[in-house]
């Protein structure tokens, strides 16, 4: 009713997700970039949690639009589906000719169809909304689907979107197997008051508004307090505020209109847990999608930066600490086969005559040389802990970071590998140790010093890393680990 009054082409504050209104500020854009990278390069399940109305469904819809053309997406919005219904829905969305039957038969048929798609160069991503409300048997089916592989590649990449209750469910003993397969986790935090004014005007401008800022600081403060930063509430309050201003014949929203909107909405304050966000988790893999990267910040016990590897990239959370507690073994070891006994890590080569062993760049080159045979000795299904990634142009910064990390961990258990992101950015990865399976790697991750865990390391398979490095080799060098 107020569109013409404010010069709008469409309603700016609809609560249904319209992707052109996706707000990239307040780490939203960074989280999307990180999520894209995790989906396209991940080797396990991905989890996104956030409060009711925080914008999870909007993020999911935008992700679907932004994935490359060779990615087929399946969106599951009904959390109450049975195991068989999940399989049949995936098959229907992918136009696969599956017949109803036992789950084991359906999974086998689905795997065969997915292998054909993989051979054709296509990737399948399953996005599950409201995952916190799924029956336990359906969550178990998700775990089984995450096991579908061909060689060293996952046939299905699965992303779970859910409220914080999803974390509570995953923490139970019965969910430990599914929990161990979650290698990336993101939390969608509410907007801060300092972001809300920008968010409101972004929505107004996107809807066609061309005038001056319409919401006063008093109105923004009231909307921020009442909405608690949840975008759905912000939209409702902003819409009602505009209606109140329109009814009064005004072109600005002040505290009077915001207060009227709050009174009409009747939101009840809810207790909210502390949000740890994405500044680190979202800065994640920005190297993979933005070509530029955020700084890795490792903080000492006293709070001082140990290293600011500009612009080394902070990586997303790997399996949660609860996963690691189920493992009986900790500490890295080079494993020859998935169940082999550990052997000593490959030592760094002796420095050249006259070389300075204290020179971080020399140590970096030595560890890069030592990493070649170390990776070659591993079984593809073995795991390593990826600590950081940085562009090759920032090699000195990553060398400094590695030197600082070596004060916390054994230098002989730090490894380097070169690769290139899907947008052509040449990068180095810094990893820690080799482990026979994911649970052992997660146990070692949980035992990392706090300042390293706070940088959100992630778990990677050796096969996945070698595949990336071979891709780098094809486009950059005749050597798998060039200097």
């Amino acid at each position: 009713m107020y569109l013409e009054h404010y010069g709008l082409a469409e309603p700016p504050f609809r609560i249904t997700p319209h992707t052109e209104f996706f707000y990239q500020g307040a780490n939203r854009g960074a989280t999307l970039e990180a999520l894209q990278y995790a989906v396209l390069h991940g080797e396990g399940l991905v989890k996104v949690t956030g409060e009711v109305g925080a914008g999870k469904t909007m993020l999911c819809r935008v992700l679907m639009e932004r994935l490359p053309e060779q990615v087929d997406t399946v969106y599951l919005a009904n959390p109450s589906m049975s195991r068989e219904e999940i399989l049949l829905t995936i098959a229907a969305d992918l136009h696969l000719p599956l017949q109803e039957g036992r789950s084991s038969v359906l999974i086998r048929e689905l795997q065969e169809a997915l292998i054909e798609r993989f051979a054709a160069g296509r990737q399948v991503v399953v996005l599950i909304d409201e995952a916190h409300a799924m029956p336990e048997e359906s969550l178990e089916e998700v775990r089984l689907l995450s096991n579908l592989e061909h060689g060293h590649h996952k046939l299905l990449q699965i992303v779970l979107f859910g409220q914080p209750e999803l974390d509570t469910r995953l923490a139970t003993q019965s969910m430990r197997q599914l929990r161990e397969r979650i290698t990336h986790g993101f939390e969608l935090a509410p907007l801060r008051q300092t972001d809300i004014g920008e968010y409101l005007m972004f929505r107004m401008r996107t809807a066609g508004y061309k005038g001056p800022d319409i919401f006063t600081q008093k109105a923004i403060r009231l909307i921020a307090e009442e909405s608690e930063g949840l975008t759905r509430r912000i939209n409702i309050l902003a819409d009602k505020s505009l209606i109140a201003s329109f009814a009064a014949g005004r072109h600005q929203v002040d505290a009077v209109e915001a207060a009227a909107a709050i009174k009409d909405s009747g939101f009840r304050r809810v207790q909210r847990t502390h949000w740890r966000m994405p500044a680190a988790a979202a800065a994640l893999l920005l190297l993979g999608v933005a070509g530029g990267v955020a700084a890795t910040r490792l903080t000492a016990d006293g709070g001082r930066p140990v290293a600011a590897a500009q612009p080394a990239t902070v990586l997303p959370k790997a399996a949660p600490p609860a996963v690691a507690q189920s493992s009986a073994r900790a500490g890295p070891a080079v494993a020859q086969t998935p169940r082999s006994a550990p052997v000593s890590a490959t030592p760094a080569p002796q420095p050249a005559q006259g070389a300075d062993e204290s020179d971080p760049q020399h140590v970096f080159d030595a560890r890069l040389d030592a990493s070649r045979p170390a990776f070659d000795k591993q079984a593809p299904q073995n795991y390593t802990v990826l600590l950081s990634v940085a562009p090759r142009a920032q090699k000195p910064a990553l060398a400094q970071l590695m030197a600082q990390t070596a004060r916390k961990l054994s230098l002989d258990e730090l490894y380097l590998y070169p690769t290139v992101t899907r947008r052509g950015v040449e990068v180095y990865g810094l990893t820690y140790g080799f482990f026979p399976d994911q649970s052992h790697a997660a146990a070692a991750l949980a035992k990392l010093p706090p300042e390293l865990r706070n940088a959100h390391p992630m778990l990677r398979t050796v096969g996945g890393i070698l595949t990336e490095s071979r891709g780098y080799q094809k486009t950059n060098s005749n050597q798998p680990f060039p200097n």
Side-chain angles (χ1 to χ4, degrees):
M1 66 175 67
Y2 56 69
L3 297 186
E4 184 177 350
H5 182 73
Y6 296 110
L8 299 170
E10 57 183 313
F13 295 109
R14 292 173 290 197
I15 61 173
T16 52
H18 291 255
T19 55
E20 66 271 22
F21 286 91
F22 177 69
Y23 175 58
Q24 304 243 16
N27 284 315
R28 275 358 190 220
T31 301
L32 174 63
E33 302 274 6
L35 189 55
Q36 285 179 268
Y37 187 90
V39 166
L40 294 173
H41 296 82
E43 295 162 343
L45 286 118
V46 178
K47 171 176 65 72
V48 180
T49 55
E51 271 292 354
V52 178
K56 299 183 297 298
T57 301
M58 170 71 90
L59 181 64
C60 180
R61 297 287 178 83
V62 177
L63 175 63
M64 292 173 67
E65 287 188 359
R66 302 281 178 90
L67 289 174
E69 292 183 1
Q70 70 271 20
V71 177
D72 298 320
T73 58
V74 177
Y75 177 64
L76 303 181
N78 180 6
S80 61
M81 287 190 292
S82 67
R83 302 175 69 165
E84 290 76 15
E85 288 172 332
I86 289 176
L87 295 173
L88 293 172
T89 301
I90 293 174
D93 280 12
L94 297 176
H95 308 290
L96 305 178
L98 301 187
Q99 302 298 322
E100 293 189 25
R102 292 180 303 172
S103 293
S104 59
V105 176
L106 291 175
I107 288 180
R108 185 169 63 251
E109 292 180 353
L110 178 60
Q111 183 172 18
E112 292 174 356
L114 290 173
I115 288 174
E116 292 181 3
R117 291 200 174 219
F118 176 78
R122 303 201 65 80
Q123 182 179 354
V124 178
V125 178
V126 178
L127 307 167
I128 303 177
D129 210 352
E130 304 294 333
H132 60 278
M134 294 183 74
E136 187 164 324
E137 69 164 13
S138 299
L139 285 171
E140 173 62 14
E141 190 63 38
V142 169
R143 182 186 71 82
L144 295 175
L145 288 172
S146 72
N147 289 334
L148 297 181
E149 297 177 343
H150 180 63
H152 309 305
H153 299 276
K154 294 288 184 184
L155 294 175
L156 279 179
Q157 182 67 43
I158 301 174
V159 186
L160 302 174
F161 291 84
Q163 295 171 21
E165 292 86 345
L166 177 60
D167 288 328
T168 303
R169 295 195 64 188
L170 291 173
T172 62
Q173 183 72 3
S174 61
M175 290 286 101
R176 66 187 184 280
Q177 289 183 303
L178 176 61
R179 185 175 66 230
E180 288 186 3
R181 285 164 173 76
I182 296 175
T183 55
H184 307 299
F186 303 93
E187 293 178 83
L188 197 60
L191 300 183
R192 298 170 300 177
Q193 181 175 326
T194 52
D195 300 317
I196 289 176
E198 182 181 292
Y199 170 80
L200 292 170
M201 287 312 300
F202 162 75
R203 302 275 305 207
M204 291 291 291
R205 303 288 184 203
T206 303
Y209 179 71
K210 301 185 186 305
D213 288 0
I214 196 168
F215 293 87
T216 68
Q217 288 302 311
K218 290 182 180 179
I220 291 170
R221 185 175 66 253
L222 289 175
I223 291 173
E225 290 174 355
E226 185 67 15
S227 67
E228 297 187 297
L230 299 174
T231 53
R232 184 181 300 164
R233 289 186 176 189
I234 294 171
N235 290 350
I236 291 172
L237 292 170
D239 182 68
K240 290 180 180 293
S241 297
L242 288 174
I243 292 174
S245 179
F246 166 70
R250 291 163 48 83
H251 284 81
Q252 190 172 53
V253 173
D254 204 347
V256 173
E257 290 77 24
I262 290 169
K263 183 177 181 180
D264 187 65
S265 300
F267 291 130
R268 293 184 178 182
R269 298 295 175 84
V270 294
Q271 187 71 22
R272 203 171 59 235
T273 57
H274 176 67
W275 288 91
R276 297 166 298 153
M277 161 57 201
L284 151 85
L285 309 160
L286 286 185
L287 73 142
V289 272
V293 283
T296 296
R297 299 176 181 269
L298 300 180
T299 304
D301 294 340
R304 294 180 298 101
V306 174
Q310 303 279 351
T313 301
V314 178
L315 298 173
K317 290 190 282 188
V323 175
Q325 294 168 2
S326 66
S327 175
R329 176 183 168 225
V334 177
Q336 301 300 326
T337 64
R339 297 294 175 186
S340 64
V343 299
S344 60
T346 305
Q350 294 298 317
Q353 184 91 19
D356 182 2
E357 295 182 62
S358 64
D359 177 13
Q361 294 201 50
H362 166 72
V363 175
F364 181 98
D365 292 337
R367 288 311 300 158
L368 186 62
D369 288 339
S371 298
R372 300 176 189 175
F375 271 96
D376 288 342
K377 290 179 180 179
Q378 302 308 308
Q381 60 268 41
N382 290 350
Y383 275 80
T384 186
V385 179
L386 182 58
L387 299 175
S388 186
V389 178
R392 291 191 69 201
Q394 297 298 323
K395 173 183 170 181
L398 187 59
Q400 290 287 348
L401 174 63
M402 188 181 73
Q404 296 289 348
T405 304
R407 298 178 185 175
K408 305 288 183 179
L409 305 172
S410 170
L411 179 62
D412 288 346
E413 290 167 345
L414 296 177
Y415 301 93
L416 293 156
Y417 70 94
T419 185
V420 61
T421 70
R422 63 188 177 87
R423 290 200 176 179
V425 181
E426 298 179 8
V427 299
Y428 284 116
L430 173 64
T431 76
Y432 167 60
F434 295 110
F435 309 91
D437 53 43
Q438 188 180 43
S439 62
H440 288 116
L445 185 152
K447 290 181 178 292
L448 290 174
E451 58 269 25
L452 294 179
R453 291 201 309 273
N454 290 342
H456 300 280
M458 63 184 284
L459 305 185
R460 293 294 311 274
T461 64
V462 171
I465 286 176
L466 290 178
T467 298
E468 289 183 7
S469 294
R470 282 193 290 269
Y472 179 91
Q473 177 186 1
K474 290 178 181 178
T475 57
N476 293 271
S477 173
N478 292 325
Q479 302 180 25
F481 281 74
N483 290 324

